[in-house]
Amino acid sequence: MTPFVYRRGVLHAEDVDLRDIAAEVGTPLYCYASAGFEESYLGIARAFAGTPSLVCYAMKANSNQAVLATLARLGAGMDVVSEGELRRARAAGVPAEKIVFSGVGKTEGELAYALDQDIMCFNVESEPELEQISAIASAAGRKARISIRVNPDIDANTHAKISTGTYASKFGIPIKEAPRVYEKAGKMPGLLVTGVDMHIGSQITDLAPFDAAAERLVALARHLIQQGHRLEHLDLGGGLGVVYDPHSNIRPPEIATYATTILRHAKSLGLKLVLEPGKLIAANAGLLLTRVIHVKQGAGKTFVIVDAAMNDLVRPTLYDAHHEIVSVFEKAQDALRECVDVVGPVCESGDYLAQGRTMVLPRRGDLLAVMSAGAYGAVQASTYNSRLLVPEVLVKGSSFAVVRPRQSYEDLIGLDRLPDWLT
Ligand code: LLP
């Protein structure tokens, strides 16, 4: 159920009128609904409740500490991909024993920090990385728990920029190499082999790639167990898609169907299952609230110019992603609709939030909500065109709190330093 609904003709986040948030905080802003994160997290946890499992939220999707704390309270672990994420997770109260560390290029400093934190597991993505972790851990007299991220060579049928499970991508160790690399890892000092890991991509709307990948991963795990590896967990990654466009007939599988598919392969192994969903937990828990600056009639095209831009939400530009855009004031079903481009103030033709979108023509000052922006929205924002990073607001019932204030101009320009020769 979406936490964003119209009440008396005005869009609300849970019980809060979005106009009130806009009036207090100003636009643009990201608005998140606690219930959105909670319901999707609990839906996933429940789907796997019959088997030992841990949901490690892929916090790259939305790493605001208020979001992390909301999920951590429900028992979530985290999948982190940098020291910054690990520090945020720890600061938000996530226990280290529920944290897995993914990523192809962890630096020596990051590995040492994570080892010191005694995290649950390093998801190792290459042989050089394996050697590096072994060296760091043995020098520190410690054991690093590791799993190898296996690349199962499966095409997830998603956008090329978010597909990770084929041999053409930089991720993981080819599955055909995995038995040899596991054997090597098992003999290396400073390492404790505890798991097998994969992640094949994001916004996957079809069960078949998950089915095929799980089958391969489970077959590998069985082989490794036979070879004497004392595996504890199987990490299936994230990637289950969400509905971005309610009018499209593409429907990602339900979580229960996904769970049945995974469990059909994995249950008999008896290993703890780790899941790394990001988008599924966060995307539909957030929106980007923006105000119309101008409505501009171009030659044969109408542009709705809003105060949010590609630097605030890059998904439409980067992945051709569809985000529903709705008016905060509900429009009548039969109101006249027009085809427009919704664009921001950034000086690039690629700066759009929607192209060729049919909507009731808004007026200057109207509030629009760009939906499904809770994942990979604020975290992928930049200050391009010297625009301020937008604030983030978290709603809980009838309360709301600014969980990240708008950046100030002092913060934005004060970081520059003039060298001696220019002062
Ligand atoms: N695990 C690993 C190792 C990952 O790299 C990712 C996402 C996930 C889990 C979570 O995937 P999810 O459940 O969120 O699909 N910025 C893109 C998505 C990039 C995903 C990167 N890795 C977007 O906005 O669609």
Side-chain angles (χ1 to χ4, degrees):
M1 248 223 355
T2 172
F4 302 108
V5 284
Y6 287 103
R7 297 202 181 159
R8 297 169 304 279
V10 181
L11 193 61
H12 281 59
E14 301 191 25
D15 299 329
V16 180
D17 185 328
L18 288 175
R19 290 174 305 180
D20 294 342
I21 303 180
E24 189 169 319
V25 182
T27 57
L29 66 86
Y30 275 101
C31 175
Y32 309 133
S34 301
F37 298 102
E38 290 164 352
E39 278 177 26
S40 33
Y41 168 79
L42 290 173
I44 302 166
R46 277 192 209 109
F48 286 91
T51 201
S53 53
L54 178 66
V55 178
C56 288
Y57 167 60
M59 61 176 278
K60 62 170 78 66
N62 184 328
S63 54
N64 190 291
Q65 286 180 58
V67 170
L68 305 187
T70 299
L71 293 168
R73 280 184 177 202
L74 300 176
M78 302 283 150
D79 168 42
V80 307
V81 291
S82 68
E83 182 173 335
E85 286 196 349
L86 177 51
R87 285 179 183 267
R88 269 177 195 261
R90 298 291 289 127
V94 182
E97 75 251 23
K98 288 187 178 174
I99 296 178
V100 297
F101 194 168
S102 306
V104 293
K106 308 173 195 80
T107 65
E108 198 173 331
E110 289 181 314
L111 292 169
Y113 179 75
L115 190 67
D116 194 49
Q117 291 285 308
D118 203 16
I119 61 164
M120 173 183 159
C121 190
F122 292 86
N123 291 338
V124 179
E125 299 236 13
S126 66
E127 292 188 64
E129 184 182 50
L130 197 62
E131 283 150 22
Q132 193 178 23
I133 298 178
S134 165
I136 295 170
S138 23
R142 317 262 311 241
K143 288 268 187 202
R145 286 174 290 274
I146 64 123
S147 74
I148 287 174
R149 175 166 173 185
V150 169
N151 182 325
D153 198 24
I154 285 179
D155 187 350
N157 294 324
T158 184
H159 191 280
K161 286 192 179 130
I162 51 175
S163 177
T164 55
T166 72
Y167 285 173
S169 91
K170 67 179 176 182
F171 297 100
I173 288 178
I175 193 156
K176 55 183 185 188
E177 302 290 330
R180 177 185 61 76
V181 180
Y182 266 97
E183 200 185 329
K184 176 173 162 182
K187 294 182 188 142
M188 288 170 87
L191 301 183
L192 215 53
V193 175
T194 59
V196 186
D197 169 46
M198 72 169 188
H199 171 73
I200 59 172
S202 189
Q203 191 52 18
I204 302 170
T205 53
D206 179 8
L207 263 185
F210 288 120
D211 193 10
E215 185 174 14
R216 288 187 194 176
L217 200 72
V218 169
L220 171 68
R222 275 191 214 293
H223 171 79
L224 296 173
I225 292 167
Q226 274 164 13
Q227 298 294 304
H229 291 282
R230 294 154 76 129
L231 298 183
E232 292 169 12
H233 73 269
L234 194 70
D235 184 338
L236 295 140
L240 191 56
V242 298
V243 176
Y244 279 107
D245 181 357
H247 309 293
S248 124
N249 51 18
I250 298 172
R251 282 282 173 274
E254 294 292 328
I255 182 65
T257 322
Y258 168 83
T260 309
T261 305
I262 298 297
L263 290 170
R264 191 165 58 233
H265 297 295
K267 191 147 176 108
S268 62
L269 270 181
L271 298 179
K272 174 172 171 173
L273 298 184
V274 175
L275 303 146
E276 300 173 356
K279 191 169 284 187
L280 188 59
I281 290 178
N284 284 316
L287 56 77
L288 174 63
L289 194 61
T290 183
R291 205 178 277 284
V292 176
I293 302 177
H294 297 296
V295 177
K296 173 174 169 175
Q297 296 297 339
K301 226 182 188 188
T302 303
F303 297 97
V304 174
I305 304 172
V306 297
D307 62 4
M310 66 184 286
N311 70 298
D312 306 312
L313 179 66
V314 76
R315 301 194 72 260
T317 305
L318 194 55
Y319 314 115
D320 309 307
H322 176 102
H323 286 263
E324 235 5 50
I325 300 183
V326 302
S327 172
V328 167
F329 274 104
E330 193 170 18
K331 301 291 178 193
Q333 287 291 346
D334 57 357
L336 191 67
R337 284 171 162 73
E338 277 185 49
C339 185
V340 302
D341 281 8
V342 181
V343 303
V346 162
C347 299
E348 296 226 12
S349 302
D351 176 27
Y352 52 84
L353 299 174
Q355 285 186 310
R357 188 65 59 84
T358 304
M359 64 193 296
V360 176
L361 198 62
R363 282 196 299 241
R364 168 186 294 183
D366 281 0
L367 282 174
L368 300 179
V370 185
M371 306 306 290
S372 312
Y376 306 108
V379 287
Q380 289 192 269
S382 77
T383 59
Y384 185 41
N385 277 206
S386 288
R387 289 167 52 83
L388 300 174
L389 290 177
V390 306
E392 293 171 84
V393 171
L394 182 65
V395 169
K396 174 90 181 160
S398 55
S399 309
F400 71 90
V402 175
V403 294
R404 178 189 293 194
R406 193 180 306 282
Q407 196 177 25
S408 69
Y409 282 113
E410 294 71 42
D411 286 345
L412 181 76
I413 61 178
L415 281 174
D416 294 354
R417 298 286 178 272
L418 286 180
D420 293 349
W421 65 89
L422 289 176
T423 53

